[in-house]
Amino acid sequence: RLAIYEIYHRKRRKSTVKIDIYIITLWKGTNFAKGSGAYGILLEVVKDGTPYTKEHYAGWENLSYPKLQLRAAVDALAYVTRPCEVKVHMDQGYVTGAWESKCNNGKYMGLWDSLKQRVEKMDNVEIVLDGKHEYASYLTRQLEAGNYPAIKDQ
């Protein structure tokens, strides 16, 4: 009984920690169905007026553009290890549109399930379309430099 009580009250508690996650994706394909791409993720926490950031970059081969965007969102939330308030700024609309409408057309169910599991561990998660955020140019430059591993999708 105590474990259930603690879980219930932990989820009801408002967090004072707020994290902004900024995501930029780059696509290298002739169509959106198959190709290669990369994403840059920047997590920002502001503590006592000072921003602290963490970055992650990854490249993927042999996948669709929507799947790349979804992988970026899942990977970004994997870096958040404690319940808090999170705002994810995505540069493209696949994840934000499907998230808002709660409709993913049955595609990539494993990734959607992973995203939902990560979201359930947080106090609050908001996913917004924001391709011109303050880190967009910086992340794009880092991605264009190509200093990240490329992983083949299965």
Side-chain angles (χ1 to χ4, degrees), residues 12-136:
R12 306 282 286 159
R13 183 182 70 222
K14 280 290 184 190
S15 173
T16 57
V17 176
K18 295 181 181 176
I19 298 176
D20 280 288
I21 299 175
Y22 301 93
I23 299 174
I24 291 291
T25 54
L26 289 183
W27 183 249
K28 303 171 191 169
T30 56
N31 62 44
F32 290 136
K34 282 286 183 202
S36 62
Y39 51 79
I41 300 167
L42 188 141
L43 290 85
E44 178 185 62
V45 176
V46 178
K47 186 175 181 181
D48 299 325
T50 303
Y52 296 91
T53 62
K54 179 177 181 74
E55 299 172 38
H56 171 72
Y57 302 92
W60 287 86
E61 298 175 350
N62 195 33
L63 79 166
S64 69
Y65 190 48
K67 192 172 184 181
L68 176 73
Q69 293 174 42
L70 186 53
R71 278 197 187 280
V74 171
D75 283 357
L77 286 174
Y79 285 98
V80 182
T81 58
R82 294 186 180 148
C84 61
E85 292 187 27
V86 179
K87 186 171 186 177
V88 181
H89 305 259
M90 302 282 304
D91 68 330
Q92 298 296 323
Y94 174 72
V95 175
T96 57
W99 186 257
E100 289 171 3
S101 68
K102 306 210 181 328
C103 176
N104 56 35
N105 298 326
K107 290 185 175 183
Y108 321 120
M109 290 309 295
L111 283 171
W112 282 110
D113 289 344
S114 293
L115 183 65
K116 288 175 188 171
Q117 288 170 3
R118 293 185 198 299
V119 166
E120 287 172 358
K121 293 178 182 178
M122 300 298 123
D123 291 333
N124 185 46
V125 176
E126 182 181 3
I127 302 175
V128 298
L129 180 60
D130 182 11
K132 297 193 184 329
H133 55 71
E134 60 192 278
Y135 293 107

Side-chain angles (χ1 to χ4, degrees), residues 36-37 58-61 146 148-153:
S36 62
W60 287 86
E61 298 175 350
Y148 51 81
I151 305 161
K152 194 165 213 132
D153 189 48

